[in-house]
Amino acid sequence: MTDFVPTPTLPAPDIVRCAYMEIVVTDLAKSREFYVGVLGLHVTEEDESTIYLRSLEEFIHHNLVLRQGPVAAVAAFAYRVKSPAEVDAAEAYYRELGCRTERRPEGFTKGIGDSVRVEDPLGFPYEFFYETEHVERLTQRYDLYSAGELVRLDHFNQVTPDVPRGRRYLEDLGFRVSEDIQDSNGVTYAAWLHRKQTVHDTALTGGDGPRMHHVAFATHEKHNIIQICDKMGALRISDRIERGPGRHGVSNAFYLYILDPDGHRIEIYTQDYYTGDPDNPTVTWDVHDNQRRDWWGNPVVPSWYTEASLVLDLDGKPQPVTARTDASEMAVTVGADGFSYTRQDGEDKGFKVGAQL
């Protein structure tokens, strides 16, 4: 039976959106070439050990921090809250849960003010902040706009062994579930949760964790994603394209997954849908529906299910990884979707040969 995280008596902090991720990279120059030279993220500022990057439409200091370090990992999943008082609320909420917390009035990164970081009940390093330095929003800087422009930070994706446990904890924290993947035996394989009015600010993928599956940036159109593929091909780094381009069933978004020089996974994402109504329905997918992960029924490569980035505790040490004991999505869909269905019940079911051959 799932050992659920207790619900605190104190109110949860009022979270606005996912705001930035801090990742540790082992070669800052190579990472700069990837994120700035290939993906076109904009440098807010940088020094010999850290680079602060933002997407085109952002007005806060950064959406991504690259920090030089010995082990490639994620140091923080950062959320903006609605007011300075909500930072106090976050600190009190996690203290009641018995989680380790650290408060820095000066912030943990440049451009961010009073913040609290926590080691949450799932083992992830979460940050909550309100105060931030405003920078130029580049929306109308068409002289800087590239054919593959990344315009917004869209979401995080977290790998955790027990998705129902994580789902209830995040629902207590004020997130709402937009979509999930289950089977007829009641096993939940993944869940998508949001605070802003899109499909997700974070998602839970069932697997060995805590680990970071990916961080996602949005483009305006599908053709921006295709341009990124063309550019990576021209640069002879197409081996860093892990999966896609394609159309998701879950979220309906057009997607691409690529790997940075350390193997951190980045999703480029566009065209999901509005979820802001209070009665927005939750969409549940059958794990055997081959169109859940790719609307066109294409197989998912095994690395997408098995590989992910380590996450750090508040001392900067990698969190230990716990194995998932529930059924894995890859295993139940035979070789990463090899023999899942694409037709509705009552029809002859079509199949695509997957990665098992």
Side-chain angles (χ1 to χ4, degrees):
M1 183 178 178
T2 295
D3 179 21
F4 284 117
V5 176
T7 301
T9 60
L10 293 172
D14 191 348
I15 298 167
V16 175
R17 59 169 172 133
C18 62
Y20 82 86
M21 177 172 279
E22 180 183 353
I23 63 174
V24 179
V25 299
T26 59
D27 188 321
L28 194 61
K30 285 184 178 178
S31 293
R32 190 187 195 283
E33 175 55 30
F34 178 81
Y35 286 101
V36 179
V38 177
L39 293 184
L41 285 171
H42 300 274
V43 178
T44 302
E45 61 180 297
E46 59 187 319
D47 56 36
E48 66 282 354
S49 64
T50 313
I51 304 173
Y52 300 88
L53 302 171
R54 72 185 190 277
S55 52
L56 187 86
E57 295 182 353
E58 188 57 79
F59 72 92
I60 72 169
H61 187 268
H62 56 261
N63 298 130
L64 188 68
V65 179
L66 308 178
R67 178 164 56 82
Q68 177 80 37
V71 177
V74 176
F77 300 72
Y79 294 93
R80 195 167 194 208
V81 294
K82 200 168 186 179
S83 71
E86 299 303 323
V87 180
D88 297 331
E91 183 177 33
Y93 186 87
Y94 281 95
R95 282 184 173 175
E96 184 178 342
L97 279 174
C99 296
R100 183 181 175 190
T101 67
E102 183 178 347
R103 184 80 172 262
R104 291 190 186 177
E106 74 282 7
F108 292 83
T109 64
K110 287 184 179 180
I112 303 295
D114 184 23
S115 311
V116 61
R117 285 191 177 180
V118 307
E119 293 174 12
D120 86 350
L122 307 184
F124 290 95
Y126 268 20
E127 176 180 312
F128 301 93
F129 74 95
Y130 173 76
E131 295 175 0
T132 180
E133 179 183 334
H134 288 197
V135 293
E136 180 187 4
R137 176 176 265 157
L138 302 172
T139 308
Q140 293 182 323
R141 288 295 307 273
Y142 294 108
D143 54 318
L144 301 178
Y145 190 95
S146 72
E149 192 69 41
L150 307 184
V151 294
R152 290 182 298 278
L153 174 68
D154 192 82
H155 63 265
F156 309 137
N157 188 304
Q158 307 169 229
V159 184
T160 190
D162 189 337
V163 174
R165 181 174 186 265
R167 172 180 180 158
R168 199 174 93 168
Y169 149 65
L170 288 174
E171 286 180 303
D172 282 347
L173 194 54
F175 286 81
R176 294 170 57 200
V177 178
S178 58
E179 306 202 23
D180 63 14
I181 297 174
Q182 300 186 27
D183 67 18
S184 58
N185 296 319
V187 177
T188 301
Y189 297 87
W192 285 255
L193 304 102
H194 66 95
R195 286 292 301 176
K196 65 182 186 305
Q197 296 177 347
T198 64
V199 170
H200 54 323
D201 286 271
T202 196
L204 300 175
T205 294
D208 301 347
R211 295 183 297 165
M212 187 275 284
H213 191 274
H214 64 264
V215 58
F217 287 89
T219 63
H220 281 145
E221 300 287 350
K222 297 188 294 295
H223 68 76
N224 304 120
I225 292 177
I226 293 169
Q227 163 62 19
I228 292 169
C229 294
D230 283 340
K231 185 175 183 179
M232 292 179 73
L235 293 171
R236 294 286 177 173
I237 55 171
S238 58
D239 60 308
R240 307 310 288 170
I241 299 174
E242 182 188 32
R243 183 180 163 211
R247 171 77 68 184
H248 282 311
V250 175
S251 81
N252 193 54
F254 198 80
Y255 71 86
L256 173 71
Y257 294 97
I258 58 180
L259 302 173
D260 84 354
D262 284 292
H264 296 304
R265 183 181 289 107
I266 311 300
E267 183 181 16
I268 316 300
Y269 180 99
T270 192
Q271 300 180 342
D272 63 352
Y273 59 88
Y274 169 79
T275 59
D277 282 16
D279 56 350
N280 182 73
T282 297
V283 178
T284 293
W285 292 79
D286 180 351
V287 72
H288 297 291
D289 185 343
N290 198 36
Q291 293 185 245
R292 73 199 184 284
R293 293 292 191 182
D294 185 277
W295 186 242
W296 307 334
N298 290 323
V300 181
V301 294
S303 63
W304 193 90
Y305 284 119
T306 60
E307 301 300 319
S309 299
L310 296 173
V311 302
L312 303 179
D313 64 18
L314 296 185
D315 295 319
K317 298 176 182 177
Q319 289 277 30
V321 174
T322 300
R324 178 175 168 89
T325 57
D326 289 337
S328 75
E329 187 174 347
M330 185 171 72
V332 302
T333 51
V334 188
D337 294 346
F339 294 112
S340 298
Y341 70 81
T342 57
R343 303 285 179 84
Q344 295 296 320
D345 289 342
E347 298 179 329
D348 291 337
K349 291 184 178 179
F351 301 93
K352 287 194 175 184
V353 175
Q356 76 280 3
L357 295 183

